[in-house]
Amino acid sequence: MKVGSKIFGVAAVLVAGTTAVALYSLDRIAQLNREVVTIASYHAPLSRILSEVEVHARNRELAFYNPARGNAARTDDAGATGKAVDAAMQRALALARDGQQRAQSEDDRLKFAGLNPLLETVAAEYRELDARLLAAQGGAGGADPVALALIDKEITDLNRALTEVNGRLHRMTEESAMAAAGHEDAARRFNLGLTLLSGVVAVLLAFLLSRSLVGPLLRLVRATGEVRQGARDFEPVIHSRDEIQVLAQAFRDMLLDLRAKERIREKLGKYIDPRIADRIVEHTGNAGSIGERQEMTVMFTDMQGFTSISESLLPTTLVKLLNRYFELMSAPVSANSGVIDKYIGDAVMAFWGQPFCDRQSQASLACATALAQIEALAQLRAELPEILGMRRGLPEIAVRAGIATGDVVVGNLGSSVAQGYTVVGDTVNLASRLESLNKAYGTRILVCETTWAGARADFEGREVDQILVVGKENPVRCYEILGRRGEVAAEPLRMRDCFEQGLAAYRARHNAAAREAFSCALEALPGDACSQVFIDRLDRIGRDPMPADWDGVWRHTGK
């Protein structure tokens, strides 16, 4: 039953109860009205007529015993009185017969029928009395004792007849009045009882209706709260046969859809960053398909010497090594609010930016990730014997990272067949070039000038060179990240100071001073490949001097 039908049912019960009370009240009022009409139209007139007859009989008797009036006057009075009594009795009989015909019940008809012989008896007794009085009145010398005795008998008979008919009429009137009162009381009690009953039924139905509505709705509200808190693996039990069942089914469908989205998100999270998976699952239509330009930080991480390592391993072993390597390299990215864009061979591409992290902290987060990846290599080296199944001849594994900050285009890029949420632009290319240049400078983490400006408050570093990479028209200053500020040892810091002196002398073309400074840097940190690169470059410049208009920019022709 639908909710509207339930509400209509409750209203129908109330209307039915109210209608029953009204109809019964009307019936009782009509019955009461009939009782009152009977008393007013029949009982009261009959009582009045009988009273008149009794008065006429007493007046007739008094006139007989009044010697002051002559016989002629008494005869005239008797004639007039007799006619009046006859007329009154005819009216009484007519009323009794009319009451019998119009009676609403068999009991009333019998009562009125019982009045007819009594009324006829009264009329007959009066005529007999009147005749006795006239006969006694007409005799010479007055009435004899026998006539007087007969007159007394007739008076007694008349009084008895009048008493009987009056008693009968009084009882009829009393019974009618009691019946009217009983009908009124019954109507009142019925109205009260039915009103209370209909109220109780209405309250009961309203309770059942509210329970059938509120109960399932409360269960739906609780289920919604569980879904809001992340619960998905449950089935709300809601039994109803109205629109709430439709709502419950819609809720179940929504829950199934959420479960499907969770499964999709879980599966996508294994291929792409979970936050991107969330955006793909939650956004519909063209959301995210139109790229937007914004400042982001891009990082490329590459395994050093991967080609030689891959050639010496079986495919299954290589896959096992790469999976563990990517796992260790990916964890710092996620831990520092970065987004893994893709895996390219042995390289990992990641980016930072809104809405995944703050714009002000993206450069520092990227540098922290690169340092954490280098630190994670210690665990990978410890696991190599188990991964490769060998104890000797283990490959030397190292990583290099290139980080650049600048404008990129970010969004869902691809074709109608396949798309990917990624970033493109010169900044991406620069990050890739910086990663490759680590090999040329013997460094581990190279960043562009914009990245260094955003991260230098948190990290120690040194300017490496001002370069012009393939595909770029403007030179780029690149910096090496040495470590977190406050955590770098004294030797690398002394090396950095010497290196900066050598770099300044190198750009000023003070080659002897530059060589001395770079040599100092090597003494401070033996094995610093970057300082050796500049010493070798000074040797080359000594053999093949730079043009007079050289601007200090070193041009790299390889990628």
Side-chain angles (χ1 to χ4, degrees):
M1 184 182 295
K2 295 183 177 180
V3 175
S5 300
K6 292 180 179 179
I7 297 175
F8 179 79
V10 174
V13 170
L14 292 175
V15 171
T18 305
T19 302
V21 170
L23 292 176
Y24 185 79
S25 298
L26 290 175
D27 180 69
R28 295 298 91 188
I29 291 172
Q31 183 66 29
L32 179 62
N33 183 62
R34 288 193 294 270
E35 298 292 346
V36 173
V37 168
T38 300
I39 293 173
S41 300
Y42 299 101
H43 296 183
L46 286 172
S47 297
R48 187 172 57 255
I49 290 172
L50 292 175
S51 297
E52 291 175 0
V53 170
E54 187 173 4
V55 169
H56 284 306
R58 297 294 178 263
N59 289 336
R60 183 72 179 84
E61 183 180 356
L62 290 173
F64 172 76
Y65 288 107
N66 186 3
R69 302 185 68 188
N71 288 335
R74 287 185 295 197
T75 301
D76 292 339
D77 289 341
T81 299
K83 291 180 181 179
V85 171
D86 285 340
M89 294 309 298
Q90 290 300 319
R91 291 200 308 275
L93 288 169
L95 282 172
R97 285 192 292 271
D98 187 61
Q100 181 180 356
Q101 293 177 357
R102 295 179 179 273
Q104 297 295 319
S105 65
E106 186 64 25
D107 186 53
D108 287 342
R109 282 193 290 272
L110 292 175
K111 289 177 181 178
F112 276 108
L115 283 177
N116 288 329
L118 294 177
L119 292 174
E120 291 174 356
T121 299
V122 170
E125 292 295 340
Y126 183 84
R127 287 192 297 271
E128 186 67 26
L129 174 61
D130 192 55
R132 296 291 182 185
L133 290 173
L134 287 175
Q137 182 178 310
D144 57 16
V146 176
L148 291 175
L150 292 174
I151 289 173
D152 289 337
K153 179 181 180 303
E154 291 301 332
I155 290 173
T156 300
D157 292 342
L158 178 60
N159 287 335
R160 185 176 63 252
L162 286 170
T163 299
E164 185 177 358
V165 73
N166 278 324
R168 176 69 66 84
L169 189 58
H170 177 73
R171 286 193 300 274
M172 289 177 60
T173 302
E174 188 178 48
E175 291 174 359
S176 295
M178 290 180 65
H183 293 152
E184 188 274 335
D185 184 64
R188 179 174 55 80
R189 285 186 282 106
F190 178 81
N191 290 346
L192 179 61
L194 191 57
T195 300
L196 291 175
L197 179 62
S198 61
V200 170
V201 172
V203 170
L204 180 61
L205 291 177
F207 171 76
L208 294 176
L209 175 60
S210 63
R211 185 177 180 183
S212 67
L213 295 178
V214 174
L217 287 177
L218 287 177
R219 287 193 289 274
L220 277 175
V221 170
R222 287 194 295 269
T224 303
E226 293 180 16
V227 171
R228 187 184 299 113
Q229 294 175 0
R232 298 292 185 271
D233 297 329
F234 72 98
E235 186 70 25
V237 180
I238 298 172
H239 300 292
S240 182
R241 296 183 179 180
D242 48 29
E243 288 85 349
I244 296 181
Q245 183 63 34
V246 179
L247 179 61
Q249 186 59 47
F251 182 85
R252 294 189 189 96
D253 294 341
M254 180 199 71
L255 194 57
L256 291 175
D257 184 60
L258 289 175
R259 290 174 186 167
K261 285 185 176 181
E262 288 291 340
R263 289 193 294 270
I264 293 173
R265 184 180 289 110
E266 182 180 356
K267 291 181 179 179
L268 283 176
K270 297 179 180 179
Y271 294 92
I272 59 177
D273 189 277
R275 289 165 293 176
I276 298 178
D278 289 341
R279 292 174 63 89
I280 294 174
V281 172
E282 297 299 333
H283 290 74
T284 57
N286 293 326
S289 62
I290 300 176
E292 57 179 338
R293 183 176 293 277
Q294 65 181 59
E295 183 180 277
M296 303 189 85
T297 298
V298 183
M299 181 184 75
F300 279 86
T301 302
D302 187 51
M303 183 188 296
Q304 181 178 338
F306 173 73
T307 302
S308 60
I309 295 174
S310 62
E311 291 175 350
S312 62
L313 297 177
L314 295 173
T316 54
T317 305
L318 179 61
V319 170
K320 186 177 180 181
L321 173 62
L322 281 177
N323 286 339
R324 183 55 178 158
Y325 167 75
F326 285 137
E327 183 178 358
L328 292 173
M329 295 299 102
S330 301
V333 176
S334 300
N336 288 282
S337 303
V339 176
I340 296 177
D341 184 285
K342 61 177 68 71
Y343 299 111
I344 311 170
D346 62 315
V348 179
M349 175 183 171
F351 60 85
W352 285 259
Q354 294 179 332
F356 309 105
C357 67
D358 295 334
R359 179 179 178 182
Q360 292 76 12
S361 61
Q362 60 184 16
S364 292
L365 291 171
C367 293
T369 299
L371 287 175
Q373 288 176 332
I374 293 174
E375 293 170 357
L377 284 180
Q379 183 176 352
L380 180 61
R381 295 189 187 102
E383 297 176 1
L384 277 180
E386 181 179 353
I387 294 174
L388 302 181
M390 60 177 66
R391 294 291 181 270
R392 298 178 180 179
L394 295 174
E396 290 292 332
I397 294 180
V399 295
R400 298 185 295 248
I403 304 173
T405 301
D407 287 343
V408 298
V409 176
V410 57
N412 289 332
L413 305 178
S415 66
S416 59
V417 177
Q419 289 189 342
Y421 189 89
T422 187
V423 293
V424 295
D426 287 342
T427 301
V428 179
N429 296 330
L430 177 59
S432 177
R433 300 292 183 271
L434 290 174
E435 184 278 317
S436 299
L437 286 174
N438 279 291
K439 183 177 181 180
Y441 288 97
T443 53
R444 298 182 304 171
I445 306 172
L446 283 182
V447 302
C448 72
E449 186 174 7
T450 307
T451 302
W452 175 243
R456 65 185 306 167
D458 301 318
F459 298 90
E460 299 284 0
R462 63 171 169 177
E463 182 181 354
V464 172
D465 202 357
Q466 185 176 9
I467 60 176
L468 187 64
V469 299
V470 177
K472 297 285 290 185
E473 296 181 357
N474 298 319
V476 177
R477 291 182 183 270
C478 59
Y479 298 77
E480 182 187 15
I481 301 298
L482 299 177
R484 297 175 181 85
R485 188 170 293 277
E487 298 180 5
V488 180
E491 291 80 4
L493 294 180
R494 286 198 303 271
M495 178 275 296
R496 178 196 59 191
D497 295 338
C498 293
F499 186 87
E500 288 179 348
Q501 295 174 9
L503 188 62
Y506 161 75
R507 288 173 178 168
R509 293 195 168 190
H510 299 155
N511 294 345
R515 180 184 295 274
E516 182 178 356
F518 288 134
S519 298
C520 178
L522 276 174
E523 291 177 1
L525 186 66
D528 179 40
C530 189
S531 297
Q532 186 63 50
V533 166
F534 274 88
I535 292 175
D536 294 341
R537 185 181 295 180
L538 288 172
D539 292 339
R540 176 181 173 183
I541 292 174
R543 295 190 301 271
D544 186 10
M546 301 298 292
D549 59 349
W550 180 59
D551 55 2
V553 176
W554 191 264
R555 289 165 175 77
H556 288 272
T557 58
K559 291 186 177 181

